[in-house]
Amino acid sequence: LDPVDAATLAEFAKTAGKPIECQAAVAWGPNQPLTNETIIVAPPRKGEIRVKVMSNALCHTDIYTLDGHDPEGLFPCILGHEAGAVVESVGAGVTSVAPGDHVIPCYTPQCNGPSCIFCASPKTNLCPAIRSTQGAGVMPDGTSRFSTLDGKPIFHFMGCSTFSEYTVIAEISAAKINPRMPLNKACLFGCGVATGLGAVWNTCKVEAGSSVAVFGLGAVGLAVVQAAKMAGASRIICIDLNKDKFTIATQLGCTDCVCPTDHGKTPIQEVIVGMTKWGVDYSFDCTGNVEVMRSALECAHRGWGESCVIGVAAAGKVLSTRPFQLVTGRVWKGTAFGGWKSRSAVPQLVERSMAGELPVDHYVTHSIDVEGGDVAAATNAAIHALHGGDCLRAVVTYAK
């Protein structure tokens, strides 16, 4: 994980412009285990870069698609979107990164084009430059860079596809970071941790002295707790069915731990309103469960409470609440990638982590090395770990 040396750059120079054969964990269909395959990764085309994936953290969104809950899920595909990588080669017209640079692939791109009203606006990070092709599982020109040895194309995923030793991403999806940051930690800023932090700091702008409720204490929820504590929240109420999560939550700043099963049939929103008189100033759903999203809204403070949806719900699920909840002053909002403009913000988050003000080590509960090139075995082990109750992030390291 050291900065790239001359020997590595020389190796990259040998493969630049040529197809690379490498190992990848391929998802052939929903609810099927990933299988290890030798695939061909084509060279990057105009505006694209090819990267060597060094470390990959598993996120629940990968599982959500693998389990068949994603309406955009396409198979066969190469999943993975929370990674640290090194640029191997660049396509025509690429200027922001060069071979040897360390990057975080970001599923929310930042084109910074002069005509992009989204990149120009301080209100959003939702750059739509490559949205249609990314959702269709292909690169911006409408084709895939992955194929089987016999030439069958394999779909991309979220513009990243990092369950592979090499992948091709758009230049506008690559956040260039300080090479001194270990990539097995930096990868956390590619999705979950950055999302939780940004929900607090960007989307809701939680003020000092606020009260906060956090539903779901996975990595995203704990990042919300960490960010709320750093923002100066005076009360942070954490809700989870797994009481084992309360120890780390308390260490990160949680002041009250609530397990819904301890309260019988009383709706959890009533429990929290009872603890606070009028509800909390800010609530965050980090579960993807639409019933929990409703509870989060309904425990928000009368008159000004804000509730932020972070979790991704399964296909076809809809939100419901009484309109009176909004008439009486509550605000329901959502966030994608925590509102961060990826290419400009992720490097800053990495710098803050390196400076010691944003520790992330506690999120990595499981570390797994790829052995003998079997990316799928290591990734399946990470999936198994994530399904257990004691895993926040399982980080798979492909190369040292």
Side-chain angles (χ1 to χ4, degrees):
L1 300 178
D2 293 328
V4 173
D5 55 34
T8 304
L9 285 174
E11 286 298 311
F12 287 166
K14 291 177 186 174
T15 52
K18 302 171 185 170
I20 289 179
E21 277 192 22
C22 70
Q23 303 304 303
V26 176
W28 293 102
N31 295 304
Q32 295 180 29
L34 303 172
T35 63
N36 202 73
E37 307 290 346
T38 301
I39 64 160
I40 298 171
V41 183
R45 296 186 185 177
K46 183 180 178 181
E48 301 171 2
I49 66 174
R50 186 163 60 186
V51 301
K52 182 178 184 179
V53 180
M54 307 300 279
S55 290
N56 191 100
L58 207 70
C59 173
H60 277 98
T61 310
D62 299 312
I63 310 299
Y64 163 85
T65 301
L66 186 60
D67 287 350
H69 299 309
D70 183 355
E72 283 193 350
L74 297 163
F75 299 95
C77 72
I78 296 172
L79 298 167
H81 67 284
E82 196 171 289
V86 179
V87 178
E88 174 266 346
S89 61
V90 301
V94 171
T95 57
S96 63
V97 295
D101 285 345
H102 285 206
V103 296
I104 305 293
C106 297
Y107 62 89
T108 301
Q110 183 183 1
C111 76
N112 283 337
S115 62
C116 183
I117 59 173
F118 291 82
C119 284
S121 171
K123 295 180 179 179
T124 187
N125 62 333
L126 295 176
C127 170
I130 56 175
R131 178 72 194 93
S132 59
T133 51
Q134 182 169 310
V138 290
M139 294 302 291
D141 70 351
T143 63
S144 174
R145 300 293 161 270
F146 300 124
S147 61
T148 59
L149 291 178
D150 58 358
K152 294 188 177 69
I154 302 170
F155 286 114
H156 292 251
F157 175 70
M158 290 179 73
C160 295
S161 289
T162 54
F163 287 178
S164 174
E165 292 177 320
Y166 287 85
T167 186
V168 176
I169 63 175
E171 177 187 17
I172 62 173
S173 303
K176 179 181 171 182
I177 64 163
N178 190 324
R180 294 200 316 277
M181 178 73 170
L183 289 169
N184 60 351
K185 304 285 174 57
C187 61
L188 300 171
F189 291 112
C191 183
V193 172
T195 299
L197 299 172
V200 174
W201 296 337
N202 302 328
T203 308
C204 290
K205 298 179 173 64
V206 171
E207 309 95 345
S210 302
S211 58
V212 172
V214 185
F215 290 78
L217 297 176
V220 175
L222 290 174
V224 170
V225 174
Q226 186 174 357
K229 174 72 171 176
M230 292 173 68
S234 59
R235 194 170 186 191
I236 303 172
I237 301 170
C238 292
I239 303 97
D240 202 290
L241 292 167
N242 182 352
K243 294 183 180 181
D244 293 342
K245 302 276 183 79
F246 294 155
T247 302
I248 180 69
T250 302
Q251 291 167 359
L252 289 172
C254 169
T255 57
D256 303 76
C257 300
V258 180
C259 181
T261 55
D262 289 345
H263 297 275
K265 294 185 177 179
T266 306
I268 195 65
Q269 53 266 50
E270 288 184 21
V271 173
I272 293 166
V273 170
M275 293 168 66
T276 55
K277 189 174 182 182
W278 294 109
V280 292
D281 299 317
Y282 300 95
S283 65
F284 298 87
D285 164 71
C286 311
T287 69
N289 180 313
V290 293
E291 294 302 321
V292 176
M293 294 174 193
R294 177 174 188 165
S295 298
L297 175 82
E298 294 180 1
C299 77
H301 201 291
R302 176 184 173 91
W304 63 71
E306 294 188 14
S307 187
C308 182
V309 173
I310 309 176
V312 177
K317 295 290 184 181
V318 293
L319 287 171
S320 63
T321 192
R322 292 168 57 226
F324 188 72
Q325 293 287 340
L326 303 181
V327 170
T328 49
R330 294 167 193 84
V331 176
W332 218 344
K333 52 173 58 174
T335 193
F337 196 50
W340 298 112
K341 291 181 184 285
S342 54
R343 288 201 290 164
S344 49
V346 168
Q348 295 171 359
L349 291 171
V350 167
E351 292 297 331
R352 292 178 68 181
S353 184
M354 290 177 62
E357 63 178 275
L358 199 51
V360 295
D361 291 17
H362 50 272
Y363 294 104
V364 182
T365 52
H366 296 68
S367 297
I368 301 164
D369 288 343
V370 172
E371 296 180 4
D374 197 336
V375 176
T379 307
N380 283 327
I383 292 171
H384 181 74
L386 200 62
H387 278 308
D390 62 344
C391 180
L392 295 176
R393 277 295 183 264
V395 175
V396 177
T397 297
Y398 294 29
K400 298 291 186 186

